[in-house]
Amino acid sequence: MKPRWLLAPVLLALAGIAAGMVWVDWSKGGDGSGIYSREWQPDPVQGYWDPDRFYQPVQSVEGKFPAAECIACHEALTPGIVADWRESRHSKPAARAPVACPDCHGDDHRALRMPTPKACANCHGVQHDAMQAEKHYGFPSHALAMERAVDSKHFADKPKAETTACVQCHSVATKCDSCHTRHRFDAAEARRAEACTTCHSGPPHPDDEAFYASAHGRKYLAEAAATDWSKPLKKGNYTVPTCAYCHMRNGQHVVADKSIWGFGLRQVNPQTAENRIKRERWLEVCRDCHDEETARAALVGLDRERERAWQGLHRTERLLRGLRSEQAFYPAAGERPPYPTDWMERWWPKERIGFFEGQASAFYNVSPIERDYFEMWYFANLGAYKGAAHGAPNMVEAGHARLQQAETGIASQAAELRTRTGKARPDPRPLWLEGEYTVHNRDHN
Amino acid sequence: MKPRWLLAPVLLALAGIAAGMVWVDWSKGGDGSGIYSREWQPDPVQGYWDPDRFYQPVQSVEGKFPAAECIACHEALTPGIVADWRESRHSKPAARAPVACPDCHGDDHRALRMPTPKACANCHGVQHDAMQAEKHYGFPSHALAMERAVDSKHFADKPKAETTACVQCHSVATKCDSCHTRHRFDAAEARRAEACTTCHSGPPHPDDEAFYASAHGRKYLAEAAATDWSKPLKKGNYTVPTCAYCHMRNGQHVVADKSIWGFGLRQVNPQTAENRIKRERWLEVCRDCHDEETARAALVGLDRERERAWQGLHRTERLLRGLRSEQAFYPAAGERPPYPTDWMERWWPKERIGFFEGQASAFYNVSPIERDYFEMWYFANLGAYKGAAHGAPNMVEAGHARLQQAETGIASQAAELRTRTGKARPDPRPLWLEGEYTVHNRDHN
Amino acid sequence: MKPRWLLAPVLLALAGIAAGMVWVDWSKGGDGSGIYSREWQPDPVQGYWDPDRFYQPVQSVEGKFPAAECIACHEALTPGIVADWRESRHSKPAARAPVACPDCHGDDHRALRMPTPKACANCHGVQHDAMQAEKHYGFPSHALAMERAVDSKHFADKPKAETTACVQCHSVATKCDSCHTRHRFDAAEARRAEACTTCHSGPPHPDDEAFYASAHGRKYLAEAAATDWSKPLKKGNYTVPTCAYCHMRNGQHVVADKSIWGFGLRQVNPQTAENRIKRERWLEVCRDCHDEETARAALVGLDRERERAWQGLHRTERLLRGLRSEQAFYPAAGERPPYPTDWMERWWPKERIGFFEGQASAFYNVSPIERDYFEMWYFANLGAYKGAAHGAPNMVEAGHARLQQAETGIASQAAELRTRTGKARPDPRPLWLEGEYTVHNRDHN
């Protein structure tokens, strides 16, 4: 073979890379955002969740206004936000002129801006840079919350009614008032547990529920009203634990730096070199109030809880893989709609089990047994994890009760599906594929 | 035909109307209340939920007492209520004599009254009349809560243990201390979110859960302790949103006047002339703190969420109607007990799907697939709705996850039921009709 | 028969009793505690839940220290606990020297003690003795919480990840800071509702959820911040009800003395002589704020709710017993693993229905229909009960909805199991017994 033929694969690869870059660039040029931007249309409210990309200023008011005029008018129109601003340090900083409306929104009413983290970084550079530094820790992290959401296949696949709700929380990456409620922007308020719970609550991430059910949350509830929240989150300043005190030690805005288990989505080896370092960082936090041995013992309890939960999840996933190889799913691949963004699947139907084989959110377009596994993993597992991590014994009990119930239920369904495999069974396609059920998700996205 | 025969149907109709009036009058003459009053016996606690009809004064204390003597005695007997009254404005009004025990309860201890809204109207006529004006908006509304409850068929059908719980909340129509906790009757307390949540919580109306999970609730939790609740609920007086601030703007007691979706029980066209007017009223509230476009965009999000939820509900209801026409339900009509108050059904058994075909609460006396549809509509749907309406994204996610799970589960059950239709199947009557299951609900009502 | 033979059974019985005593003594000699102490290994965190048995002092710090030196060092190391102690009455008692570190922990750092109730009894003898007096009322009670937990078969059977969570709450018997959060030990804090809710929450004992959903809890939430919690829990001192105000009247530490329904686990006749006395004790509490007739009527409502719930539970349990006698369970006894501590079962497999036939927690090693019954009893039933007992109507509704759904679902499953009884069915053992499902629970306990 002549040496020049060796160039062929190299050239092909280079052409492929170039084509990929062009394709990604093209795919981001649609009405939405992210690499599936051509697959969805933004809802109007999206302008507030991701203002940099989608905010459209109101055109009915024309003119450029100094702060005093903004305030004069909005005091009558929207007194709530003006009152909040008057309460804020922005309205009366120690050693400079007030930070007022035009400083963040601009002074031209037809070109108003909704401020993004970049706008806040003009003064709060340390916090902004720390938050951006989270990107080194990958996802889940606040800094990548919006980007990774819109770049994921199920963002384009899921019904718009749901993704609009998703993005409300994922907007933590694209605006600062997710935690620092506008227009008071009070650090004292962001230090309290309430600042986190609008998003960190609900079945797949019940941090809210776990914290308040724990002795930590109980102490917070009993003492919060009598605590001075204006102090920095430093050792010795607080006797009451909160989300921010432990996860944002010393007020630094890298929240992902001690993240060992992430959101509990994957099994993790807590004994890697990196995770051992992170554990020491946790213990440093715990030691502000606890003797180190207590804290270490509690974390061993968490390790064991996680190990137990994953044993069940792995057993169940192996069972599902077995069913797939026996072609026992009902409806099977090809008998249910492919994912809209998954064009390969039209030609090569394939069951993907759980989240990590790429089956988007697995709430849709899967057979009941696969859905049950998804809920076992996404709801029961994460509830148990959050309970164990925050010290809420009742959530550990309830989570493992649900894990075990799911495992038993899936085993029963599997036995039933196996008795029917290979035998004549009603064609599921009229109901599931051509019919209205296991609905094709592309819902005017 | 002689013209006099034309009189026959008119006379028959007149006789029918008269007979109907006599029947309704007779039906209301039983021990209970409402048009099924002969079908149920009131529990003792009913005397406190609907005092006008059912309260029986204690006979063990005799005599007529002035306020000072009531207080002297009850300070020792029930110091809690006396302390609450002392804290109230009733005990020290600005420009009149105190409103004391006999003013509301009467002075004759063997003929004591538990005060009803009419009693409070002696001084608080504006609030009373506004609340009564709610009746123009129909049900759901506070003013009709008791009347419509006891006039509904399932009130007589459901087990007493449950209706006693129902009526505790529906007593909002028949006494004022549901919101204005006795004996402090503090407007400041009624303005807070807690005043509403004893009733507005739980699976079919998780307003409590939705509010506290939203950014609105978070701001309330963080700032409530430092807020002065003695101010009227007027624009500019509050930076903290509460149930009453938004639903009872300016403290007016017509709560139903902005009600577009009601309880989310029916699909609603938000674009009727009336609903567009109501939306403008909502926007007027939102504008106290939000720019109008933000609020409008959020309400469009709510419209879309509702549309999506109802698509699934309609698809599923159509599926059930199909099963009914194929006689696929198991147990079917005639194989399960008729509703006690539904005497027609003894001769003409009929499956009624969901709430609106008249199947009472559909918790009872239905086959499993119908029950699952009922829960899909009553629990999952309403959870998603309340989340979307109050700004709690996690409840939207969780609600739609449950809606989709219910739809998939019902589709699977339907496929199974169809494979069995027309074939020999075990007679369900020994278990469901003559046996103890799908229990005949008339439980010593 | 010669009289001396009559001695044989007596001697055998005596030998048996002696052998039993030796066996129990031996069985308690393992690494764990209780009569199954040889069946499980304590987790490190157990040293904090049951310090008398398991706490191991840290060996890295050597020396005997007076209080001043403890504080000097720990102010830098763990400022949180020092700050809490400074806030406590221990640091500044009225008429004696401060109670400082060595008084509770000893002064030898390598022989540190974690204080148990006995240590606190040195000063707080009245409270300690009252709590111990609870033992007369049996279990459930705080005083027996740890002992009865570790003496129960399912403690050794359940996976360690779960029992470690169990014991966190059951440690209420073995240390006082479950309620009196260290190191503030503030009675004012223990009087508040938050003191109880870390443990009294979650599916089988949703006291937290029931209290806050009731009008009682609403009043607490609205008024707690403005209430002076330093006053004793005496009639007239409070207008706000809390767990402790009602269950620990006058601050006395016998919580079980008014316990009629216990945890709702068993059906109870509320009309026994003993329970009538207990009811009068309850009414004495209720009368602090309510007219006696209201309270009596509410308790009749509770009686009726309980009766209704138990009707359904008994019907369902009878159905399961019927299935057992027809050998309809799938998998059946012998097709699923015996309980590890239940060695008899290896030779004589037996289905045990529900909790009280001894089937441990019935979360494990049971067939799906038995598990569903267990959840009906343990979750739905107890949710309805707690709602009715605390005045949370929505929890009564939701609990009975779930009870009825469970009953219908179990009836459907039973019908299905019966159609298959006696026919060839797939051998469940590869999946359930030899395989990984319905997992053998002994999980490195």
Side-chain angles (χ1 to χ4, degrees):
Chain A
M1 197 172 71
K2 293 188 181 173
R4 74 183 106 149
W5 291 115
L6 294 174
L7 273 175
V10 175
L11 290 172
L12 270 171
L14 287 174
I17 288 167
M21 286 170 74
V22 168
W23 185 84
V24 166
D25 206 49
W26 171 85
S27 73
K28 285 186 173 171
D31 286 340
S33 61
I35 58 171
Y36 296 101
S37 76
R38 291 173 185 274
E39 306 282 337
W40 60 280
Q41 300 285 332
D43 258 2
V45 77
Q46 190 78 346
Y48 301 90
W49 306 144
D50 194 354
D52 233 11
R53 282 204 185 80
F54 298 112
Y55 179 67
Q56 300 290 340
V58 180
Q59 296 301 307
S60 52
V61 182
E62 199 180 344
K64 295 194 171 192
F65 303 98
E69 288 181 29
C70 302
I71 292 165
C73 199
H74 277 276
E75 189 117 54
L77 284 172
T78 54
I81 62 175
V82 178
D84 269 331
W85 175 79
R86 282 196 202 285
E87 288 284 321
S88 75
R89 215 208 277 186
H90 281 164
S91 75
K92 45 194 183 223
R96 53 157 290 172
V99 180
C101 321
D103 296 308
C104 304
H105 293 287
D107 63 356
D108 182 350
H109 211 290
R110 297 183 84 169
L112 277 188
R113 298 186 301 268
M114 289 295 126
T116 58
K118 248 177 293 172
C120 303
N122 288 333
C123 301
H124 305 280
V126 172
Q127 288 78 7
H128 174 267
D129 294 351
M131 197 200 158
Q132 296 307 315
E134 273 211 321
K135 291 183 177 171
H136 303 144
Y137 295 94
F139 189 72
S141 67
H142 288 141
L144 288 167
M146 181 61 82
E147 191 179 324
R148 293 288 169 92
V150 296
D151 277 356
S152 75
K153 205 164 55 179
H154 65 265
F155 188 82
D157 282 336
K158 283 184 83 174
K160 174 61 66 64
E162 295 177 38
T163 53
T164 294
C166 297
V167 174
Q168 179 170 349
C169 285
H170 284 261
S171 71
V172 71
T174 44
K175 57 200 204 48
C176 295
D177 66 353
S178 296
C179 312
H180 297 276
T181 311
R182 64 186 179 279
H183 285 87
R184 196 172 290 197
F185 303 108
D186 195 352
E189 214 165 291
R191 285 175 190 127
R192 297 180 58 134
E194 289 84 5
C196 309
T197 52
T198 298
C199 295
H200 288 270
S201 59
H205 30 55
D207 303 285
D208 172 347
E209 296 84 342
F211 172 71
Y212 284 113
S214 74
H216 290 129
R218 181 185 89 189
K219 197 167 161 63
Y220 173 74
L221 285 169
E223 301 177 17
T227 296
D228 173 8
W229 296 99
S230 69
K231 292 189 201 164
L233 292 170
K234 282 210 163 56
K235 185 169 172 171
N237 277 356
Y238 287 89
T239 61
V240 174
T242 61
C243 315
Y245 187 90
C246 300
H247 289 272
M248 300 178 76
R249 194 172 166 66
N250 297 324
Q252 56 90 342
H253 280 56
V254 185
V255 185
D257 68 333
K258 296 192 297 292
S259 182
I260 294 174
W261 303 95
F263 261 47
L265 298 170
R266 288 179 174 82
Q267 188 168 24
V268 162
N269 175 2
Q271 294 301 333
T272 63
E274 186 188 351
N275 284 338
R276 279 206 296 249
I277 291 168
K278 288 180 172 177
R279 176 156 300 195
E280 293 308 313
R281 285 190 203 145
W282 272 115
L283 290 168
E284 208 186 323
V285 175
C286 303
R287 276 198 308 256
D288 287 4
C289 301
H290 295 278
D291 125 56
E292 180 175 324
E293 294 310 308
T294 319
R296 212 175 272 281
L299 290 171
V300 168
L302 170 57
D303 291 345
R304 295 200 178 169
E305 184 283 324
R306 289 289 74 207
E307 198 192 344
R308 169 79 191 172
W310 279 102
Q311 281 169 10
L313 288 162
H314 286 317
R315 274 194 306 266
T316 310
E317 189 153 337
R318 276 200 300 278
L319 178 72
L320 290 188
R321 289 183 203 281
L323 287 178
R324 174 168 63 183
S325 68
E326 298 162 28
Q327 306 192 313
F329 285 142
Y330 178 81
E335 293 171 343
R336 48 193 178 178
Y339 269 80
T341 53
D342 221 353
W343 53 270
M344 282 266 295
E345 215 170 290
R346 281 152 223 255
W347 288 277
W348 189 29
K350 187 169 180 321
E351 288 108 348
R352 293 196 177 90
I353 297 163
F355 192 80
F356 293 114
E357 287 196 4
Q359 181 79 47
S361 74
F363 280 131
Y364 296 100
N365 292 353
V366 292
S367 65
I369 196 170
E370 292 162 274
R371 166 71 187 249
D372 287 351
Y373 173 64
F374 183 73
E375 298 233 342
M376 176 185 179
W377 167 75
Y378 202 47
F379 290 169
N381 168 44
L382 297 185
Y385 162 58
K386 295 294 188 179
H390 291 96
N394 291 327
M395 285 183 62
V396 177
E397 297 294 334
H400 280 269
R402 283 186 293 153
L403 280 167
Q404 169 61 16
Q405 192 183 36
E407 189 172 351
T408 311
I410 288 170
S412 293
Q413 282 184 67
E416 190 65 30
L417 284 169
R418 278 188 172 126
T419 64
R420 302 187 177 202
T421 310
K423 297 189 189 147
R425 57 184 196 182
D427 184 356
R429 286 172 303 177
L431 191 63
W432 295 85
L433 181 54
E434 286 115 41
E436 292 168 310
Y437 295 89
T438 311
V439 197
H440 193 289
N441 296 329
R442 189 78 69 84
D443 174 41
H444 313 298
N445 275 351
Chain B
M1 198 169 70
K2 292 189 180 171
R4 74 183 106 151
W5 292 115
L6 294 173
L7 272 173
V10 174
L11 290 171
L12 270 173
L14 286 173
I17 288 167
M21 286 171 73
V22 169
W23 185 83
V24 166
D25 205 48
W26 171 85
S27 73
K28 286 186 172 172
D31 287 339
S33 61
I35 58 172
Y36 297 101
S37 76
R38 289 173 187 274
E39 306 282 337
W40 60 280
Q41 300 286 331
D43 257 3
V45 77
Q46 191 77 346
Y48 302 90
W49 306 145
D50 194 355
D52 233 11
R53 282 204 185 79
F54 299 112
Y55 180 66
Q56 300 290 341
V58 180
Q59 296 302 307
S60 52
V61 182
E62 200 180 341
K64 295 193 173 193
F65 303 97
E69 288 181 30
C70 302
I71 293 164
C73 201
H74 276 276
E75 189 118 54
L77 284 173
T78 52
I81 62 176
V82 178
D84 270 330
W85 175 80
R86 284 197 202 284
E87 289 284 320
S88 76
R89 215 208 279 185
H90 281 163
S91 74
K92 46 196 182 221
R96 54 156 291 172
V99 179
C101 322
D103 296 306
C104 305
H105 294 286
D107 63 357
D108 181 350
H109 211 289
R110 296 183 84 171
L112 277 189
R113 298 186 300 268
M114 289 293 126
T116 58
K118 247 176 294 172
C120 303
N122 288 334
C123 301
H124 306 280
V126 173
Q127 288 77 8
H128 174 267
D129 295 351
M131 198 199 156
Q132 296 307 315
E134 274 212 321
K135 290 183 179 173
H136 303 144
Y137 296 95
F139 189 72
S141 67
H142 289 140
L144 289 167
M146 181 60 83
E147 193 179 323
R148 294 287 170 93
V150 295
D151 276 357
S152 74
K153 207 164 52 179
H154 65 266
F155 188 82
D157 282 336
K158 282 182 83 173
K160 175 60 68 60
E162 294 177 40
T163 53
T164 294
C166 298
V167 174
Q168 178 170 349
C169 284
H170 284 261
S171 71
V172 71
T174 44
K175 58 199 204 47
C176 295
D177 66 353
S178 296
C179 311
H180 298 275
T181 311
R182 64 183 178 282
H183 286 87
R184 196 173 290 200
F185 303 109
D186 195 353
E189 213 165 293
R191 286 174 189 128
R192 297 180 58 135
E194 288 84 5
C196 309
T197 52
T198 298
C199 295
H200 288 270
S201 58
H205 29 56
D207 303 285
D208 172 348
E209 295 84 342
F211 172 72
Y212 285 114
S214 74
H216 290 129
R218 180 185 90 189
K219 196 167 161 64
Y220 173 74
L221 286 169
E223 300 176 17
T227 296
D228 174 8
W229 295 98
S230 70
K231 293 189 199 163
L233 291 170
K234 281 210 163 56
K235 185 169 172 171
N237 277 355
Y238 287 89
T239 60
V240 174
T242 61
C243 316
Y245 187 90
C246 300
H247 289 272
M248 300 179 76
R249 193 171 167 66
N250 298 324
Q252 57 89 344
H253 280 56
V254 185
V255 184
D257 68 333
K258 295 192 298 293
S259 182
I260 295 174
W261 303 95
F263 262 52
L265 298 170
R266 287 178 174 83
Q267 188 169 24
V268 162
N269 175 1
Q271 293 302 334
T272 63
E274 188 189 351
N275 284 339
R276 280 205 296 248
I277 291 167
K278 288 181 172 175
R279 177 157 300 197
E280 294 307 313
R281 285 190 204 144
W282 271 116
L283 290 168
E284 208 186 323
V285 175
C286 302
R287 276 199 307 256
D288 287 3
C289 302
H290 295 279
D291 125 57
E292 181 175 321
E293 294 310 308
T294 318
R296 212 174 273 281
L299 290 172
V300 169
L302 169 58
D303 291 346
R304 296 200 178 169
E305 184 284 323
R306 289 288 74 207
E307 198 191 344
R308 168 81 192 171
W310 278 103
Q311 281 169 9
L313 288 162
H314 287 317
R315 273 194 307 265
T316 310
E317 190 152 337
R318 277 200 299 278
L319 176 73
L320 290 188
R321 289 183 203 281
L323 287 177
R324 174 167 64 183
S325 68
E326 299 163 27
Q327 306 192 313
F329 284 141
Y330 178 80
E335 293 171 342
R336 47 192 179 179
Y339 269 80
T341 54
D342 221 354
W343 54 269
M344 283 266 294
E345 214 170 292
R346 281 152 223 254
W347 289 277
W348 188 30
K350 188 171 180 319
E351 287 108 348
R352 295 197 178 89
I353 295 162
F355 192 79
F356 293 114
E357 287 196 3
Q359 180 81 48
S361 74
F363 281 131
Y364 295 99
N365 292 352
V366 292
S367 65
I369 195 171
E370 293 163 274
R371 166 72 187 249
D372 287 351
Y373 173 65
F374 182 74
E375 298 232 341
M376 176 186 179
W377 167 75
Y378 202 46
F379 290 168
N381 168 42
L382 297 184
Y385 163 58
K386 295 295 188 179
H390 292 94
N394 291 326
M395 285 183 63
V396 178
E397 297 294 334
H400 280 269
R402 282 186 294 153
L403 281 167
Q404 168 63 15
Q405 191 183 36
E407 190 173 350
T408 312
I410 287 171
S412 293
Q413 280 182 69
E416 189 66 30
L417 284 169
R418 279 190 173 124
T419 64
R420 302 188 178 202
T421 310
K423 297 188 188 149
R425 56 184 195 180
D427 184 356
R429 285 171 304 177
L431 190 63
W432 295 83
L433 181 55
E434 287 116 39
E436 291 167 310
Y437 295 90
T438 310
V439 197
H440 192 288
N441 295 329
R442 189 79 68 81
D443 174 40
H444 312 298
N445 276 351
Chain C
M1 199 170 69
K2 292 190 181 170
R4 74 182 103 148
W5 292 115
L6 293 173
L7 271 175
V10 175
L11 291 171
L12 270 172
L14 286 174
I17 288 166
M21 288 171 72
V22 168
W23 185 82
V24 167
D25 205 50
W26 171 84
S27 73
K28 286 185 172 172
D31 286 339
S33 61
I35 59 171
Y36 297 101
S37 75
R38 289 172 187 275
E39 306 283 337
W40 58 281
Q41 300 287 331
D43 258 3
V45 78
Q46 190 78 345
Y48 300 91
W49 307 145
D50 195 356
D52 233 11
R53 282 203 185 82
F54 299 111
Y55 179 68
Q56 301 289 341
V58 181
Q59 296 302 307
S60 51
V61 180
E62 200 180 341
K64 296 194 171 192
F65 302 99
E69 288 181 28
C70 302
I71 292 164
C73 199
H74 276 275
E75 188 117 55
L77 284 173
T78 54
I81 63 176
V82 178
D84 269 330
W85 175 78
R86 283 196 202 285
E87 288 285 321
S88 76
R89 214 208 279 185
H90 281 164
S91 75
K92 45 196 181 218
R96 53 157 290 174
V99 179
C101 321
D103 295 306
C104 304
H105 293 287
D107 63 356
D108 182 350
H109 211 290
R110 296 183 84 170
L112 277 190
R113 298 186 301 268
M114 288 293 126
T116 58
K118 247 176 294 172
C120 303
N122 287 333
C123 301
H124 305 281
V126 174
Q127 288 78 7
H128 175 267
D129 294 351
M131 197 199 156
Q132 296 307 314
E134 275 212 320
K135 290 183 177 172
H136 303 143
Y137 295 95
F139 189 72
S141 67
H142 288 140
L144 289 166
M146 182 59 84
E147 192 179 323
R148 292 287 169 92
V150 296
D151 276 358
S152 74
K153 206 164 55 179
H154 64 265
F155 188 82
D157 283 336
K158 282 183 84 174
K160 175 61 66 64
E162 294 177 40
T163 54
T164 294
C166 297
V167 174
Q168 178 171 348
C169 284
H170 284 261
S171 70
V172 71
T174 43
K175 58 201 205 48
C176 295
D177 66 354
S178 295
C179 311
H180 298 277
T181 311
R182 65 185 178 281
H183 285 87
R184 196 173 289 200
F185 303 108
D186 194 353
E189 213 165 292
R191 287 176 189 126
R192 298 181 58 135
E194 289 84 4
C196 309
T197 52
T198 298
C199 295
H200 288 270
S201 59
H205 29 55
D207 302 285
D208 171 348
E209 295 84 342
F211 173 71
Y212 285 114
S214 75
H216 290 129
R218 182 186 87 189
K219 198 168 159 64
Y220 173 74
L221 285 169
E223 300 177 16
T227 297
D228 173 8
W229 295 98
S230 70
K231 292 190 201 163
L233 292 170
K234 281 212 163 55
K235 186 171 172 171
N237 277 355
Y238 286 89
T239 61
V240 174
T242 60
C243 316
Y245 187 90
C246 300
H247 289 273
M248 300 179 74
R249 195 173 165 65
N250 297 325
Q252 57 88 343
H253 279 56
V254 184
V255 184
D257 68 333
K258 296 192 296 295
S259 182
I260 294 175
W261 303 95
F263 261 47
L265 299 171
R266 288 178 173 83
Q267 188 169 24
V268 162
N269 175 2
Q271 294 300 335
T272 62
E274 186 188 351
N275 284 338
R276 280 206 296 249
I277 292 167
K278 288 180 172 176
R279 177 156 299 196
E280 294 307 314
R281 285 190 204 145
W282 272 115
L283 291 168
E284 209 186 322
V285 175
C286 302
R287 276 199 307 258
D288 288 4
C289 301
H290 295 278
D291 124 58
E292 180 174 323
E293 295 310 308
T294 319
R296 212 175 273 282
L299 290 172
V300 169
L302 169 58
D303 291 346
R304 296 200 177 169
E305 183 284 323
R306 290 289 73 207
E307 198 191 344
R308 168 81 193 172
W310 278 102
Q311 282 169 8
L313 288 163
H314 287 317
R315 274 195 305 267
T316 309
E317 188 152 339
R318 277 200 299 280
L319 177 73
L320 290 188
R321 289 183 203 280
L323 287 177
R324 174 168 63 183
S325 69
E326 299 162 28
Q327 306 193 312
F329 284 141
Y330 179 81
E335 294 170 343
R336 46 193 179 179
Y339 269 80
T341 53
D342 223 351
W343 54 269
M344 282 265 295
E345 214 170 292
R346 281 151 223 256
W347 288 277
W348 188 31
K350 188 171 181 319
E351 287 109 348
R352 294 196 177 91
I353 296 162
F355 192 79
F356 293 114
E357 286 196 5
Q359 181 79 47
S361 73
F363 281 131
Y364 296 99
N365 293 352
V366 293
S367 66
I369 196 170
E370 293 163 273
R371 165 71 186 249
D372 287 351
Y373 173 65
F374 182 73
E375 298 232 342
M376 175 186 180
W377 166 76
Y378 201 46
F379 290 169
N381 168 43
L382 296 185
Y385 162 58
K386 295 295 188 177
H390 292 95
N394 291 326
M395 284 183 63
V396 178
E397 297 294 335
H400 280 269
R402 282 184 293 152
L403 280 167
Q404 169 62 15
Q405 191 184 36
E407 190 173 350
T408 312
I410 288 170
S412 292
Q413 280 183 67
E416 189 66 31
L417 285 169
R418 277 190 173 124
T419 64
R420 303 188 178 201
T421 310
K423 296 188 188 150
R425 56 185 196 180
D427 184 356
R429 286 172 302 178
L431 192 62
W432 294 83
L433 182 55
E434 287 116 39
E436 292 167 309
Y437 295 90
T438 311
V439 198
H440 192 289
N441 296 329
R442 189 78 68 82
D443 174 42
H444 311 300
N445 276 351

